Amino acid sequence: MADSVTVDAAANATLNETAGNATAKIPATVEGMSIAYTSLFLMAIFPIFIGSFRSVKHHQDQKDSGEKPETISHKDAAMFPLIASGTLLGIYIVFQIFSKEYINLLLAFYFFFLGVLALAHISGPVVEKLIPPSFPNMDYHLIFTQGKGEAKEELMNYEFDRKDLLCLAVSAVIGVWYLVKKHWVANNLFGLAFAINGVELLSLNRISTGCILLGGLFVYDIFWVFGTNVMVTVAKSFEAPIKLVFPQDLLEKGLAADNFAMLGLGDIVIPGIFIALLLRFDMSLKNNKKTYFYSGFVAYCLGLLTTILIMHFFKHAQPALLYLVPACIGIPVLVALVKGDIKTMFSYEDHADEKPAALKDSKDTKEVKKDK
């Protein structure tokens, strides 16, 4: 939980550096700026769309396996902005005390391992389709336990094959490329992998929880952007693939371009997990429609476009959640009010069928004991 807060706090910081970057280095051509912002827009909506559908499969797999899902509770959602604020301030203080070169060196290795695993997880299904049937595949089963006899406890139980190892090797090559060159393409590959994994694996189980989380981060983003210089300072110092970047001078310098517009992953993942929840809610209605998912997805697109336009017009850093949160919450809720689904929407809960079953089993057990 602490790691995800660290990533999110820094990601939100880097998001708001988009405008600062654009202000410091005005691109030579309107075309270059248009390409950069259009590319960032497409890279932002891609993880939300893909990650949302992957989250449906992930939740179904959990339900089929009987695995207890880990979800963000109301309390977690309420505390998250406070924890993120403390983390952001802590990072700011660390950068004031210690040399940022050494800190970023440690961060580079940390995110190298995280990025390789995230990229391997995302690219696995794609690589598997590209591998010919003649590939000499072999299954492996890694089990790690502690203790003996009745005290024996399983710590890790992981099944994989040679295709997974091949995928991991390809991801490691990209990781080394990022570690050595810090190239913006490698950065984006890691960033997209983090974003898709975040939307898929981070779970809200109720719409009300999502509203609390987004509402808290709405205030958090405004305060740290307009109230202090902490977020922008951290954004300038923090070097890690927790942002998507695209050069505004691509037409002039090609892949060697260095005048970047940036978009932090926090403003992709946080609204993304709420939109993924809307998709799962659509699926629970069993009407073969995705009304609320598409309303949330369109709302995100409108909010992001508004952020880019205002940022470009005022030439000043903008807290993206200022525009994304009202859109992502307001439009789906308005659609629910019009369709008469508002009560159903706020009563929906992922894996809700597990609780009644548990209660039923407990009740049956008590009745059996009573009969005996």
Side-chain angles (χ1 to χ4, degrees):
M1 183 67 179
D3 289 342
S4 65
V5 171
T6 303
V7 172
D8 183 71
N12 276 303
T14 26
L15 160 78
N16 302 291
E17 189 58 14
T18 311
N21 181 276
T23 305
K25 297 181 180 180
I26 301 298
T29 62
V30 176
E31 290 81 1
M33 184 185 296
S34 300
I35 292 173
Y37 286 134
T38 300
S39 300
L40 284 177
F41 176 81
L42 294 175
M43 285 192 293
I45 63 175
F46 175 75
I48 293 178
F49 192 88
I50 299 299
S52 294
F53 282 93
R54 288 177 66 101
S55 79
V56 174
K57 184 179 183 304
H58 175 66
H59 276 258
Q60 189 58 51
D61 290 342
Q62 284 186 319
K63 196 173 287 188
D64 293 341
S65 65
E67 181 183 351
K68 185 179 179 181
E70 294 184 6
T71 58
I72 299 174
S73 66
H74 278 43
K75 183 179 179 181
D76 294 333
M79 290 297 296
F80 193 86
L82 299 177
I83 298 172
S85 296
T87 305
L88 179 64
L89 187 59
I91 295 173
Y92 173 79
I93 294 172
V94 167
F95 274 117
Q96 298 302 309
I97 298 174
F98 301 102
S99 171
K100 68 178 183 179
E101 286 76 16
Y102 295 113
I103 297 172
N104 283 318
L105 182 62
L106 292 175
L107 289 173
F109 282 100
Y110 175 71
F111 281 100
F112 164 77
F113 290 107
L114 287 183
V116 168
L117 293 176
L119 193 59
H121 179 249
I122 293 301
S123 60
V126 178
V127 173
E128 188 172 341
K129 291 180 180 179
L130 298 175
I131 295 176
S134 58
F135 180 79
N137 200 20
M138 183 70 70
D139 294 317
Y140 302 95
H141 193 176
L142 184 62
I143 301 176
F144 185 60
T145 62
Q146 68 176 7
K148 293 183 178 180
E150 295 182 356
K152 190 174 183 179
E153 182 181 357
E154 186 178 279
L155 299 179
M156 183 174 64
N157 190 334
Y158 185 61
E159 296 183 25
F160 59 97
D161 56 23
R162 287 179 179 173
K163 292 180 180 179
D164 295 323
L165 293 176
L166 178 62
C167 190
L168 190 65
V170 173
S171 301
V173 170
I174 296 174
V176 172
W177 180 28
Y178 168 77
L179 202 60
V180 175
K181 296 293 186 180
K182 296 291 178 65
H183 198 276
W184 60 272
V185 175
N187 174 91
N188 286 347
L189 290 174
F190 273 2
L192 288 170
F194 284 138
I196 295 174
N197 274 290
V199 176
E200 175 188 355
L201 302 177
L202 294 177
S203 180
L204 294 166
N205 68 331
R206 297 184 68 93
I207 298 295
S208 56
T209 307
C211 292
I212 293 171
L213 178 65
L214 288 174
L217 289 175
F218 173 81
V219 177
Y220 158 88
D221 216 19
I222 294 173
F223 173 77
W224 288 109
V225 174
F226 290 146
T228 72
N229 69 336
V230 172
M231 187 171 278
V232 174
T233 302
V234 171
K236 291 178 179 179
S237 305
F238 204 96
E239 295 178 8
I242 55 170
K243 58 187 178 292
L244 300 177
V245 301
F246 203 90
Q248 300 177 80
D249 52 349
L250 180 69
L251 297 176
E252 292 80 15
K253 297 184 178 180
L255 293 177
D258 56 4
N259 181 16
F260 297 107
M262 307 179 189
L263 183 65
L265 298 188
D267 295 280
I268 299 173
V269 174
I270 298 300
I273 61 177
F274 183 75
I275 295 171
L277 176 61
L278 292 175
L279 177 59
R280 298 195 298 274
F281 170 62
D282 277 323
M283 296 298 187
S284 73
L285 297 178
K286 303 185 187 304
N287 57 10
N288 295 322
K289 296 180 180 178
K290 300 179 181 64
T291 305
Y292 296 104
F293 167 70
Y294 285 120
S295 66
F297 188 74
V298 170
Y300 179 84
C301 293
L302 294 175
L304 187 57
L305 284 173
T306 302
T307 304
I308 292 173
L309 291 174
I310 292 178
M311 180 180 58
H312 176 69
F313 181 78
F314 288 102
K315 299 292 189 293
H316 188 279
Q318 297 294 318
L321 293 180
L322 172 63
Y323 311 101
L324 292 173
V325 169
C328 290
I329 293 178
I331 292 179
V333 168
L334 181 62
V335 172
L337 284 170
V338 172
K339 291 176 64 66
D341 290 337
I342 191 68
K343 186 176 180 180
T344 306
M345 171 185 275
F346 278 88
S347 62
Y348 169 74
E349 183 177 359
D350 278 335
H351 302 273
D353 55 331
E354 294 174 359
K355 288 185 178 180
L359 291 173
K360 183 177 182 301
D361 291 342
S362 177
K363 185 177 179 181
D364 291 343
T365 303
K366 289 180 179 179
E367 288 179 354
V368 169
K369 288 182 178 179
K370 185 177 179 180
D371 291 341
K372 286 184 178 180

